[in-house]
């Protein structure tokens, strides 16, 4: 593994983590809801009366935040070393795993662990182990 110490910038990551934590806390304190993206998006697709507005606003905020950041001059480099078939397959597998796990990394990893939910601790440990195993196999076994 190689760490590019020249471009290592922990402060933006810390600020982002704090912002995510604050947003999750505000969501549960003021709306009584878990800030799990898959649940919010899934609920938007089949929203009950009175649910569509806050869900749409949440998703709009997720889309608007990086656009506003780029207008303020914050540049975010995005580079994906995969073709469209791999990206589509990965998205499908993540969606499938999200359904089986009963939530995503934001719902389980951020909100569930902070509440001490064993279900979320197990789910997040499983997400992480699967990610570690996938990277190991792709980089060290298959040589990708």
């Amino acid at each position: 593994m190689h760490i590019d110490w020249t471009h290592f910038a922990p402060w933006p990551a810390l600020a982002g983590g704090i912002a995510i934590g604050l947003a999750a806390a505000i969501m549960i304190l003021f709306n009584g809801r878990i800030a799990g993206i898959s649940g919010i998006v899934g609920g938007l697709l089949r929203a009950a009366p009175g649910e569509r507005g806050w869900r749409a606003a949440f998703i709009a905020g997720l889309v608007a935040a990086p656009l506003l950041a780029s207008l303020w001059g914050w540049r975010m480099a995005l580079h994906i070393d995969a073709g469209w078939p791999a990206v589509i397959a990965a998205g499908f597998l993540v969606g499938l795993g999200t359904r089986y796990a009963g939530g995503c990394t934001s719902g389980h990893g951020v909100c569930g662990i902070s509440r001490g939910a064993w279900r979320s601790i197990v789910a997040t440990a499983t997400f992480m182990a699967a990610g570690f195993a996938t990277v190991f196999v792709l980089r060290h076994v298959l040589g990708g």
Side-chain angles (χ1 to χ4, degrees):
M1 179 169 84
H2 172 72
I3 297 175
D4 183 3
W5 292 106
T6 307
H7 296 100
F8 179 65
W11 300 117
L14 177 63
I18 290 170
I20 290 169
L22 284 173
I26 289 168
M27 183 79 158
I28 201 158
L29 288 173
F30 293 106
N31 201 10
R33 306 287 184 162
I34 299 295
I37 308 305
S38 63
I40 293 171
V41 171
L44 181 62
L45 299 176
R46 59 183 191 294
E51 292 281 309
R52 193 172 303 260
W54 73 266
R55 290 175 189 274
F58 192 95
I59 301 303
L62 290 177
V63 173
L67 297 175
L68 289 173
S70 69
L71 290 175
W72 288 329
W74 296 349
R75 299 289 174 226
M76 291 148 276
L78 176 63
H79 181 75
I80 299 173
D81 291 328
W84 281 107
V87 171
I88 291 168
F92 174 76
L93 290 171
V94 167
L96 187 65
T98 298
R99 290 298 285 169
Y100 279 119
C104 57
T105 52
S106 55
H108 283 303
V110 175
C111 300
I113 288 178
S114 67
R115 293 181 303 120
W118 279 105
R119 175 178 171 242
S120 292
I121 293 167
V122 170
T124 304
T126 304
F127 299 156
M128 297 302 292
F132 296 155
T134 300
V135 169
F136 180 81
V137 169
L138 288 176
R139 289 195 178 173
H140 302 290
V141 176
L142 299 177

PDB file of all heavy atoms in Angstrom, residues 23-36 51 54-55 111 115:
ATOM      1  N   ALA A  23     -25.250  16.132  11.108  1.00  0.00           N
ATOM      2  CA  ALA A  23     -26.456  15.950  10.298  1.00  0.00           C
ATOM      3  C   ALA A  23     -27.262  14.753  10.797  1.00  0.00           C
ATOM      4  O   ALA A  23     -28.489  14.822  10.901  1.00  0.00           O
ATOM      5  CB  ALA A  23     -26.089  15.770   8.826  1.00  0.00           C
ATOM      6  N   ALA A  24     -26.578  13.663  11.129  1.00  0.00           N
ATOM      7  CA  ALA A  24     -27.269  12.469  11.636  1.00  0.00           C
ATOM      8  C   ALA A  24     -27.928  12.762  12.982  1.00  0.00           C
ATOM      9  O   ALA A  24     -29.064  12.336  13.241  1.00  0.00           O
ATOM     10  CB  ALA A  24     -26.296  11.302  11.758  1.00  0.00           C
ATOM     11  N   ALA A  25     -27.225  13.509  13.842  1.00  0.00           N
ATOM     12  CA  ALA A  25     -27.788  13.857  15.149  1.00  0.00           C
ATOM     13  C   ALA A  25     -28.998  14.774  15.005  1.00  0.00           C
ATOM     14  O   ALA A  25     -30.022  14.577  15.672  1.00  0.00           O
ATOM     15  CB  ALA A  25     -26.719  14.528  16.014  1.00  0.00           C
ATOM     16  N   ILE A  26     -28.902  15.763  14.138  1.00  0.00           N
ATOM     17  CA  ILE A  26     -30.023  16.678  13.907  1.00  0.00           C
ATOM     18  C   ILE A  26     -31.219  15.919  13.342  1.00  0.00           C
ATOM     19  O   ILE A  26     -32.366  16.150  13.749  1.00  0.00           O
ATOM     20  CB  ILE A  26     -29.595  17.835  12.976  1.00  0.00           C
ATOM     21  CG1 ILE A  26     -28.635  18.766  13.725  1.00  0.00           C
ATOM     22  CG2 ILE A  26     -30.797  18.598  12.442  1.00  0.00           C
ATOM     23  CD1 ILE A  26     -27.924  19.771  12.845  1.00  0.00           C
ATOM     24  N   MET A  27     -30.948  15.002  12.436  1.00  0.00           N
ATOM     25  CA  MET A  27     -32.030  14.223  11.813  1.00  0.00           C
ATOM     26  C   MET A  27     -32.798  13.418  12.859  1.00  0.00           C
ATOM     27  O   MET A  27     -34.027  13.400  12.857  1.00  0.00           O
ATOM     28  CB  MET A  27     -31.414  13.290  10.761  1.00  0.00           C
ATOM     29  CG  MET A  27     -32.418  12.491  10.009  1.00  0.00           C
ATOM     30  SD  MET A  27     -33.178  13.481   8.748  1.00  0.00           S
ATOM     31  CE  MET A  27     -33.743  12.201   7.692  1.00  0.00           C
ATOM     32  N   ILE A  28     -32.086  12.758  13.747  1.00  0.00           N
ATOM     33  CA  ILE A  28     -32.780  11.930  14.738  1.00  0.00           C
ATOM     34  C   ILE A  28     -33.407  12.774  15.845  1.00  0.00           C
ATOM     35  O   ILE A  28     -34.490  12.456  16.331  1.00  0.00           O
ATOM     36  CB  ILE A  28     -31.873  10.823  15.304  1.00  0.00           C
ATOM     37  CG1 ILE A  28     -32.739   9.717  15.901  1.00  0.00           C
ATOM     38  CG2 ILE A  28     -30.882  11.359  16.308  1.00  0.00           C
ATOM     39  CD1 ILE A  28     -32.063   8.385  16.021  1.00  0.00           C
ATOM     40  N   LEU A  29     -32.768  13.869  16.217  1.00  0.00           N
ATOM     41  CA  LEU A  29     -33.308  14.717  17.278  1.00  0.00           C
ATOM     42  C   LEU A  29     -34.546  15.492  16.845  1.00  0.00           C
ATOM     43  O   LEU A  29     -35.510  15.616  17.602  1.00  0.00           O
ATOM     44  CB  LEU A  29     -32.244  15.700  17.776  1.00  0.00           C
ATOM     45  CG  LEU A  29     -31.118  15.090  18.608  1.00  0.00           C
ATOM     46  CD1 LEU A  29     -30.036  16.137  18.883  1.00  0.00           C
ATOM     47  CD2 LEU A  29     -31.654  14.521  19.910  1.00  0.00           C
ATOM     48  N   PHE A  30     -34.517  16.034  15.632  1.00  0.00           N
ATOM     49  CA  PHE A  30     -35.610  16.897  15.194  1.00  0.00           C
ATOM     50  C   PHE A  30     -36.653  16.205  14.314  1.00  0.00           C
ATOM     51  O   PHE A  30     -37.761  16.700  14.173  1.00  0.00           O
ATOM     52  CB  PHE A  30     -35.059  18.129  14.474  1.00  0.00           C
ATOM     53  CG  PHE A  30     -34.298  19.037  15.391  1.00  0.00           C
ATOM     54  CD1 PHE A  30     -32.918  19.089  15.337  1.00  0.00           C
ATOM     55  CD2 PHE A  30     -34.960  19.809  16.333  1.00  0.00           C
ATOM     56  CE1 PHE A  30     -32.209  19.915  16.199  1.00  0.00           C
ATOM     57  CE2 PHE A  30     -34.262  20.633  17.202  1.00  0.00           C
ATOM     58  CZ  PHE A  30     -32.879  20.688  17.133  1.00  0.00           C
ATOM     59  N   ASN A  31     -36.266  15.082  13.699  1.00  0.00           N
ATOM     60  CA  ASN A  31     -37.202  14.399  12.814  1.00  0.00           C
ATOM     61  C   ASN A  31     -37.510  12.984  13.300  1.00  0.00           C
ATOM     62  O   ASN A  31     -38.391  12.332  12.762  1.00  0.00           O
ATOM     63  CB  ASN A  31     -36.629  14.365  11.386  1.00  0.00           C
ATOM     64  CG  ASN A  31     -37.659  14.152  10.322  1.00  0.00           C
ATOM     65  OD1 ASN A  31     -38.857  14.199  10.582  1.00  0.00           O
ATOM     66  ND2 ASN A  31     -37.214  13.896   9.112  1.00  0.00           N
ATOM     67  N   GLY A  32     -36.735  12.515  14.283  1.00  0.00           N
ATOM     68  CA  GLY A  32     -36.952  11.168  14.801  1.00  0.00           C
ATOM     69  C   GLY A  32     -36.632  10.078  13.796  1.00  0.00           C
ATOM     70  O   GLY A  32     -37.120   8.959  13.914  1.00  0.00           O
ATOM     71  N   ARG A  33     -35.817  10.401  12.811  1.00  0.00           N
ATOM     72  CA  ARG A  33     -35.493   9.467  11.737  1.00  0.00           C
ATOM     73  C   ARG A  33     -34.004   9.187  11.698  1.00  0.00           C
ATOM     74  O   ARG A  33     -33.180  10.031  12.022  1.00  0.00           O
ATOM     75  CB  ARG A  33     -35.889  10.044  10.364  1.00  0.00           C
ATOM     76  CG  ARG A  33     -37.300  10.488  10.257  1.00  0.00           C
ATOM     77  CD  ARG A  33     -38.222   9.322  10.199  1.00  0.00           C
ATOM     78  NE  ARG A  33     -39.576   9.797  10.004  1.00  0.00           N
ATOM     79  CZ  ARG A  33     -40.537   9.053   9.577  1.00  0.00           C
ATOM     80  NH1 ARG A  33     -40.330   7.800   9.314  1.00  0.00           N
ATOM     81  NH2 ARG A  33     -41.746   9.542   9.445  1.00  0.00           N
ATOM     82  N   ILE A  34     -33.677   7.992  11.218  1.00  0.00           N
ATOM     83  CA  ILE A  34     -32.286   7.605  11.004  1.00  0.00           C
ATOM     84  C   ILE A  34     -31.852   8.150   9.648  1.00  0.00           C
ATOM     85  O   ILE A  34     -32.583   8.031   8.664  1.00  0.00           O
ATOM     86  CB  ILE A  34     -32.146   6.060  11.014  1.00  0.00           C
ATOM     87  CG1 ILE A  34     -32.579   5.499  12.368  1.00  0.00           C
ATOM     88  CG2 ILE A  34     -30.749   5.612  10.650  1.00  0.00           C
ATOM     89  CD1 ILE A  34     -31.706   5.913  13.523  1.00  0.00           C
ATOM     90  N   ALA A  35     -30.657   8.710   9.588  1.00  0.00           N
ATOM     91  CA  ALA A  35     -30.138   9.267   8.339  1.00  0.00           C
ATOM     92  C   ALA A  35     -29.492   8.169   7.500  1.00  0.00           C
ATOM     93  O   ALA A  35     -28.321   8.243   7.140  1.00  0.00           O
ATOM     94  CB  ALA A  35     -29.143  10.386   8.629  1.00  0.00           C
ATOM     95  N   GLY A  36     -30.263   7.146   7.183  1.00  0.00           N
ATOM     96  CA  GLY A  36     -29.799   6.069   6.311  1.00  0.00           C
ATOM     97  C   GLY A  36     -30.230   6.359   4.893  1.00  0.00           C
ATOM     98  O   GLY A  36     -31.428   6.428   4.592  1.00  0.00           O
ATOM     99  N   GLU A  51     -44.495  12.338   3.795  1.00  0.00           N
ATOM    100  CA  GLU A  51     -43.115  11.859   3.873  1.00  0.00           C
ATOM    101  C   GLU A  51     -42.257  12.321   2.701  1.00  0.00           C
ATOM    102  O   GLU A  51     -41.043  12.355   2.812  1.00  0.00           O
ATOM    103  CB  GLU A  51     -43.103  10.317   3.900  1.00  0.00           C
ATOM    104  CG  GLU A  51     -43.686   9.726   5.153  1.00  0.00           C
ATOM    105  CD  GLU A  51     -42.687   9.779   6.294  1.00  0.00           C
ATOM    106  OE1 GLU A  51     -41.546   9.336   6.122  1.00  0.00           O
ATOM    107  OE2 GLU A  51     -43.066  10.296   7.358  1.00  0.00           O
ATOM    108  N   TRP A  54     -39.646  15.915   3.073  1.00  0.00           N
ATOM    109  CA  TRP A  54     -38.367  15.885   3.771  1.00  0.00           C
ATOM    110  C   TRP A  54     -37.392  14.921   3.107  1.00  0.00           C
ATOM    111  O   TRP A  54     -36.182  15.165   3.084  1.00  0.00           O
ATOM    112  CB  TRP A  54     -38.530  15.581   5.261  1.00  0.00           C
ATOM    113  CG  TRP A  54     -38.881  14.165   5.601  1.00  0.00           C
ATOM    114  CD1 TRP A  54     -40.120  13.636   5.792  1.00  0.00           C
ATOM    115  CD2 TRP A  54     -37.959  13.083   5.798  1.00  0.00           C
ATOM    116  NE1 TRP A  54     -40.031  12.300   6.089  1.00  0.00           N
ATOM    117  CE2 TRP A  54     -38.711  11.931   6.103  1.00  0.00           C
ATOM    118  CE3 TRP A  54     -36.576  12.972   5.751  1.00  0.00           C
ATOM    119  CZ2 TRP A  54     -38.137  10.695   6.358  1.00  0.00           C
ATOM    120  CZ3 TRP A  54     -35.994  11.736   6.002  1.00  0.00           C
ATOM    121  CH2 TRP A  54     -36.771  10.616   6.304  1.00  0.00           C
ATOM    122  N   ARG A  55     -37.916  13.831   2.551  1.00  0.00           N
ATOM    123  CA  ARG A  55     -37.041  12.874   1.861  1.00  0.00           C
ATOM    124  C   ARG A  55     -36.432  13.511   0.603  1.00  0.00           C
ATOM    125  O   ARG A  55     -35.239  13.371   0.346  1.00  0.00           O
ATOM    126  CB  ARG A  55     -37.812  11.607   1.499  1.00  0.00           C
ATOM    127  CG  ARG A  55     -38.182  10.774   2.702  1.00  0.00           C
ATOM    128  CD  ARG A  55     -39.054   9.583   2.307  1.00  0.00           C
ATOM    129  NE  ARG A  55     -39.593   8.898   3.447  1.00  0.00           N
ATOM    130  CZ  ARG A  55     -38.957   7.925   4.124  1.00  0.00           C
ATOM    131  NH1 ARG A  55     -37.760   7.532   3.741  1.00  0.00           N
ATOM    132  NH2 ARG A  55     -39.529   7.353   5.166  1.00  0.00           N
ATOM    133  N   CYS A 111     -25.342   5.860  12.167  1.00  0.00           N
ATOM    134  CA  CYS A 111     -26.438   6.021  13.129  1.00  0.00           C
ATOM    135  C   CYS A 111     -26.584   4.827  14.068  1.00  0.00           C
ATOM    136  O   CYS A 111     -26.760   4.999  15.270  1.00  0.00           O
ATOM    137  CB  CYS A 111     -27.750   6.265  12.391  1.00  0.00           C
ATOM    138  SG  CYS A 111     -27.712   7.746  11.367  1.00  0.00           S
ATOM    139  N   ARG A 115     -25.765   4.513  18.291  1.00  0.00           N
ATOM    140  CA  ARG A 115     -26.821   4.177  19.244  1.00  0.00           C
ATOM    141  C   ARG A 115     -26.536   2.875  19.978  1.00  0.00           C
ATOM    142  O   ARG A 115     -27.307   2.466  20.838  1.00  0.00           O
ATOM    143  CB  ARG A 115     -28.174   4.058  18.515  1.00  0.00           C
ATOM    144  CG  ARG A 115     -28.676   5.360  17.951  1.00  0.00           C
ATOM    145  CD  ARG A 115     -30.024   5.225  17.251  1.00  0.00           C
ATOM    146  NE  ARG A 115     -29.982   4.238  16.177  1.00  0.00           N
ATOM    147  CZ  ARG A 115     -30.757   3.147  16.136  1.00  0.00           C
ATOM    148  NH1 ARG A 115     -31.632   2.909  17.072  1.00  0.00           N
ATOM    149  NH2 ARG A 115     -30.647   2.304  15.129  1.00  0.00           N
TER     150      ARG A 115
END
